[in-house]
DNA sequence: CGAATCGTTGAGCGAGGTCAAGAAAAGTGG
DNA sequence: CCACTTTTCTTGACCTCGCTCAACGATTCG
């Protein structure tokens, strides 16, 4: 709230920890993330937290809002975020193609979530983190945001814990063991994956 | 395949363990489940299995198929299933209202999955099973398929394990402890919930 | 009635959690 | 640029929830 800056008619910016949407809001806009990372999450009453979606540049947040659906879970910026705004109300008048792109994005979000259900239900700590890093790298890659074998990694180990259903302490230990197995290089918010297919295999993911 | 019986132009039946859809199929129809239970799942190469969605009477399976999306995970009948068929091709010509109902169903599926991510990532065994039983009861209730405090429960303990990310053995032990805590009565494929709000609380769910 | 499938129980173990403390980075303000 | 604070990362010791393995009843079904 408060100090969010609208920098143009159809663009908006958020700082880390600012909410893009709160539970039970009725959002006016669907956002298309242009820059920065955000996440959807839920907090249980005793403080346990689980992140249920990661929004990266190019993602829509969230297509179902055009139907008048209210967010079931809050969405918060993890970094500085710049997004373009698609007014929910106008959707009927929009080109068929844009509508279709929105529903298609919704379907992909569902598929990604199904994959995460498998990970949280059945994968080990190392497999979970490998899955996370593969997914981030490959999604960024599709948006041209990787540089050779490297990409940005603004997540803290606590964020990773809340994504993978682990504790920060165990994320730390698991990252160490992945480093010493040469699966990843990770330092100062920057990730390098020397062998992506090896990491996919460690994640128990099907070969690309 | 083989012995699936089309009982009318726009209805279809499946027996337990028959596939409603396989990975990489291009489905001709979206199904609306009229009777019976089905699930979507994924199998890892070493046999670990996770169920990622449960389809109950009244559910659409799966709305995104009208976009030409292929199933990322197979869908299989858990009981005898009767479903009506909505041809994917015809969707453009259908009443706006039916299209909207389909996207709305997709959005609800996404919300349910987000809730399950929280459960698999952060809840204990007892909370997971309590969540599962609450969700089933409440969804059946909305379709008028509950009888007082009771409803059908065709899932085996192994199905429950694959839904909750636990082992069948631990599901068994957890169910025992829920029985002795008087949270549930469960026998011969039939569930009774003496106090739904107590069960919701045990599941760490927000009060209805 | 025989064969699967499903449910139940016990004993032992291990992956990941908890608690706690200190080191290293990263902001913040002067 | 430098103190100072806060956040993040790292490590150790210990513990527990849920898993594994195995055997045996109980149901269900052909």
């Amino acid at each position: 709230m408060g100090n969010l800056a609208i920098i143009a008619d159809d663009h908006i910016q958020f700082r880390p920890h600012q909410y893009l949407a709160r539970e039970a809001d009725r959002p006016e806009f669907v956002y298309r993330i242009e820059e920065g990372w955000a996440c959807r999450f839920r907090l249980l009453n005793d403080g346990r937290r689980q992140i249920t979606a990661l929004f990266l540049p190019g993602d829509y947040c969230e297509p179902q809002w055009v139907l008048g659906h209210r967010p079931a879970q809050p969405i918060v910026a993890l970094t500085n975020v710049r997004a373009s705004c698609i007014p929910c109300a106008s959707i009927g008048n929009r080109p068929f193609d844009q509508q279709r792109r929105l529903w298609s994005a919704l379907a992909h979000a569902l598929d990604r979530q199904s994959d995460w259900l498998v990970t949280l239900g059945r994968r080990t700590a190392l497999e979970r983190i490998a899955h996370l890093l593969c997914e981030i790298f490959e999604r960024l890659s599709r948006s041209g945001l990787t540089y050779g074998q490297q990409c940005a990694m603004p997540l803290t180990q606590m964020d990773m814990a809340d994504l993978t259903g682990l504790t920060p302490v165990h994320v730390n230990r698991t990252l160490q063991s992945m480093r010493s197995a040469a699966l990843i290089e990770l330092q100062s918010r920057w990730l390098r994956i020397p062998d992506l297919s090896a990491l996919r295999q460690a994640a128990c993911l099907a070969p690309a």
Side-chain angles (χ1 to χ4, degrees), chain A:
Chain A
M1 306 246 116
N3 53 348
L4 83 192
I6 294 185
I7 58 171
D9 291 18
D10 59 346
H11 278 71
I12 190 169
Q13 279 192 320
F14 302 92
R15 338 206 85 248
H17 305 118
Q18 264 191 339
Y19 286 87
L20 311 223
R22 304 182 111 101
E23 271 174 286
D25 270 1
R26 181 189 288 282
E28 275 183 78
F29 304 105
V30 169
Y31 300 120
R32 183 176 182 277
I33 310 292
E34 302 295 342
E35 198 180 336
W37 297 24
C39 74
R40 162 150 54 74
F41 69 94
R42 171 159 294 159
L43 219 44
L44 300 183
N45 30 23
D46 59 357
R48 283 175 287 178
R49 183 176 120 120
Q50 178 67 39
I51 295 178
T52 60
L54 204 51
F55 298 96
L56 304 182
D59 291 338
Y60 290 102
C61 166
E62 302 230 54
Q64 65 271 32
W65 293 346
V66 305
L67 292 172
H69 275 239
R70 291 158 191 264
Q73 298 176 354
I75 294 174
V76 74
L78 292 166
T79 66
N80 285 319
V81 167
R82 190 167 51 81
S84 57
C85 302
I86 302 165
C88 293
S90 77
I91 193 64
N93 321 323
R94 298 241 158 195
F96 175 72
D97 208 49
Q98 182 170 24
Q99 292 187 43
R100 188 190 165 83
R101 207 176 316 129
L102 230 41
W103 300 132
S104 191
L106 189 60
H108 280 119
L110 196 86
D111 283 351
R112 255 200 315 273
Q113 286 201 0
S114 300
D115 288 341
W116 271 94
L117 287 169
V118 177
T119 291
L120 294 183
R122 294 302 186 195
R123 285 195 238 257
T124 65
L126 193 145
E127 290 165 349
R128 293 180 197 201
I129 294 182
H131 180 186
L132 177 65
L133 298 181
C134 282
E135 180 182 317
I136 289 172
F137 184 86
E138 289 170 358
R139 285 170 65 186
L140 290 177
S141 175
R142 267 175 245 127
S143 310
L145 292 172
T146 52
Y147 308 91
Q149 303 170 315
Q150 304 182 61
C151 69
M153 234 331 284
L155 300 178
T156 66
Q157 292 183 3
M158 187 162 163
D159 294 330
M160 293 189 223
D162 290 339
L163 277 155
T164 55
L166 301 167
T167 54
V169 172
H170 200 63
V171 167
N172 184 288
R173 292 193 227 270
T174 306
L175 285 174
Q176 311 267 356
S177 86
M178 293 174 76
R179 280 191 263 248
S180 58
L183 283 171
I184 57 168
E185 290 164 38
L186 178 58
Q187 53 190 302
S188 50
R189 319 274 109 142
W190 205 253
L191 170 67
R192 199 174 92 88
I193 301 178
D195 181 349
L196 184 58
S197 73
L199 191 59
R200 286 186 64 93
Q201 193 163 355
C204 227
L205 288 165

